[in-house]
Amino acid sequence: MFSALIDAARNSPFKTPFTKAQCDSGAIAPVQGRSIAAASTDEVEFGSTKFFLLCGLGGIISCGSTHTFVVPLDLVKCRLQVDQAKYKNVFHGFKLTLAEDGARGLAKGWAPTFFGYSAQGAFKFGLYEVFKVQYANMLGEENAYLYRTWLYLGASASAEFFADMALSPFEAAKVKIQTMPGFASTMREAMPKMMGEEGIMAFYKGLVPLWCRQIPYTMMKFACFEKTVELLYAYVVPKPREQCSKGEQLLVTFAAGYIAGVFCAIVSHPADVVVSKLNQAKGSSAFDVAKQLGFMGMWNGLMPRIIMIGTLTALQWFIYDGVKVALSIPRPPPPEMPESLKKKLGVQ
C-alpha cells in the first residue's frame, strides 16, 4: 500500500500528461451487467461470505486505528463541548490539559476509543457492503443505478444502526474518562464503576443520541464519498479510472474522503455535543441536555471536530481501500448506466 502511495505521488491523477499502465481488471459482477475492477488474479469472490468478513476487517483496521490516533484532539473537543467556560478554544484546551494532566493526559480514553471504534468499524463497513448488495438486488440493475444515492443512504443507515449498538458502551466510558476528573483513568476502572452506579443503562442511555449523531454522519460519509468519487473521475481526473494506477486511485479515495468528512462533521455535530454532555450528566435525558445547551451551545467545538472528522474520514477511506488492495478484495468502479437503460433512454 505504501509503495503504491509513493508511486502515486510521482504520478498524481490530478495533473497531465499520464503514461502509467492500466490497472489490473476483472469481470466479477455484483449486479447483472456490471463489472468490477479486480485487485489481483487471486481476488476474493465478490458477495461471498469471505468478501463481507474481509470488508469488516478493513473497517476494524480503518476505524480503530484512525480514531485512536486522534484521541488528543477528541479529548479537547469533548471538554470544549461540556465546559466551554474553562476550555475557551482548541489551543487553550490543549495548553490547560497539558498543564493539569501532563502529556499522558492527552491519551485519556484511548482504550475505549480503540475497542469501541474497532467494533463499530466492523459493522459499519462490513454491513454497508452487505446492505448495498442486498438492496441493489432488490431494486434491480436499472433502479439501482437511477436511485443509487438513495441506495447508499439506505445501506449506510442500516449498517450504522447496528454499529452504534456495539459502540455505545465504549463511547459512554470514553466520555466519562475524558470529561469527569477523578471518575476513572482507564477503561478497566470506568466500566465496573459505571455498572455499579447506574446499572446496564449507563452504557446505553446515550444510544439514541448516538444514533442521531452517527446515522446522519454515516449516511453523509458513504453517500457523499460515493458521489464525490464518481464526480472526481468524471470531471477532475483526466483519464478513466481503469487507466489509473492503484496508488492514483487511493489518492482519489483520500480526496473524496476528506470532502465527505467536512460535510459529515457539520451534519452530525449537534448530536455529538448532546452525547458528550449526556454521558457527563447523571439522570438527564437527551432532551434535557439539548434544552440546557440551547441552539448555539450545540455548536460548541465545531472547528476541531471538522478538522478531526475530515482527517478521520479521509484516512478511513484511504486505509479501507488500501486493505482491499492488499487483500485482493474487489473494488467496484464508479457506477455506469446499464446498457438496457441506455437503450430505453436513447443514450449513446
Side-chain angles (χ1 to χ4, degrees):
M1 182 173 77
F2 295 104
S3 62
L5 180 58
I6 294 170
D7 176 63
R10 299 193 187 103
N11 303 278
S12 169
F14 297 104
K15 62 183 181 180
T16 55
F18 294 95
T19 58
K20 294 296 294 177
Q22 292 187 353
C23 301
D24 296 333
S25 63
I28 299 174
V31 181
Q32 185 178 2
R34 184 177 175 193
S35 62
I36 295 294
S40 76
T41 55
D42 302 321
E43 77 171 15
V44 177
E45 180 185 355
F46 185 90
S48 64
T49 300
K50 184 178 180 181
F51 169 80
F52 294 127
L53 289 174
L54 288 178
C55 287
L57 176 62
I60 291 172
I61 295 170
S62 65
C63 291
S65 62
T66 51
H67 277 277
T68 305
F69 177 73
V70 297
V71 160
L73 182 59
D74 181 48
L75 179 143
V76 172
K77 181 266 299 179
C78 285
R79 290 181 173 181
L80 271 171
Q81 290 172 340
V82 301
D83 193 356
Q84 198 172 31
K86 181 178 180 180
Y87 302 94
K88 296 177 173 57
N89 54 54
V90 179
F91 298 107
H92 183 257
F94 272 105
K95 182 179 178 181
L96 199 56
T97 299
L98 284 169
E100 292 181 346
D101 303 324
R104 292 184 64 180
L106 290 173
K108 275 188 175 180
W110 75 266
T113 297
F114 174 75
F115 290 108
Y117 283 94
S118 292
Q120 186 215 35
F123 285 94
K124 183 198 296 275
F125 282 93
L127 287 181
Y128 174 70
E129 300 286 1
V130 172
F131 285 120
K132 188 166 69 167
V133 170
Q134 293 302 318
Y135 292 167
N137 288 336
M138 289 167 61
L139 288 170
E141 184 184 9
E142 293 181 4
N143 285 330
Y145 174 80
L146 289 172
Y147 304 107
R148 58 193 181 280
T149 300
W150 292 104
L151 175 64
Y152 305 145
L153 292 170
S156 57
S158 300
E160 189 61 36
F161 178 83
F162 295 101
D164 289 341
M165 293 181 184
L167 171 63
S168 184
F170 298 98
E171 181 75 1
K174 176 188 78 75
V175 171
K176 284 188 179 292
I177 291 169
Q178 292 180 338
T179 63
M180 296 180 66
F183 180 80
S185 57
T186 66
M187 184 176 75
R188 286 183 297 176
E189 181 185 355
M191 285 191 156
K193 192 171 182 180
M194 291 167 66
M195 186 69 178
E197 290 183 356
E198 301 179 66
I200 191 68
M201 287 309 297
F203 302 109
Y204 291 100
K205 71 175 184 177
L207 180 58
V208 172
L210 194 61
W211 276 330
C212 293
R213 180 189 82 182
Q214 289 297 130
I215 290 178
Y217 162 83
T218 300
M219 291 170 72
M220 183 66 72
K221 174 179 181 173
F222 283 86
C224 186
F225 171 79
E226 299 267 21
K227 292 296 291 184
T228 303
V229 167
E230 187 178 335
L231 292 172
L232 286 177
Y233 280 114
Y235 300 107
V236 179
V237 180
K239 64 178 178 179
R241 179 183 184 270
E242 62 270 14
Q243 294 180 15
C244 295
S245 70
K246 291 172 183 176
E248 289 169 348
Q249 291 178 25
L250 288 174
L251 279 183
V252 174
T253 295
F254 185 86
Y258 209 102
I259 293 168
V262 172
F263 288 101
C264 288
I266 295 170
V267 166
S268 62
H269 190 72
D272 181 61
V273 179
V274 172
V275 169
S276 295
K277 195 72 176 177
L278 184 65
N279 283 308
Q280 185 196 41
K282 287 184 183 179
S284 297
S285 67
F287 179 78
D288 294 333
V289 170
K291 186 177 180 180
Q292 178 187 348
L293 287 168
F295 179 77
M296 294 306 296
M298 288 192 290
W299 295 98
N300 291 340
L302 177 60
M303 189 51 62
R305 190 158 190 269
I306 285 177
I307 297 169
M308 184 182 80
I309 296 300
T311 305
L312 271 177
T313 306
L315 287 173
Q316 283 175 7
W317 278 114
F318 180 82
I319 294 170
Y320 180 64
D321 222 20
V323 170
K324 281 190 168 185
V325 170
L327 299 181
S328 300
I329 305 172
R331 301 160 63 232
E336 295 182 2
M337 184 180 292
E339 290 299 323
S340 59
L341 190 58
K342 286 181 180 179
K343 292 178 181 177
K344 288 181 181 179
L345 300 176
V347 177
Q348 300 296 323

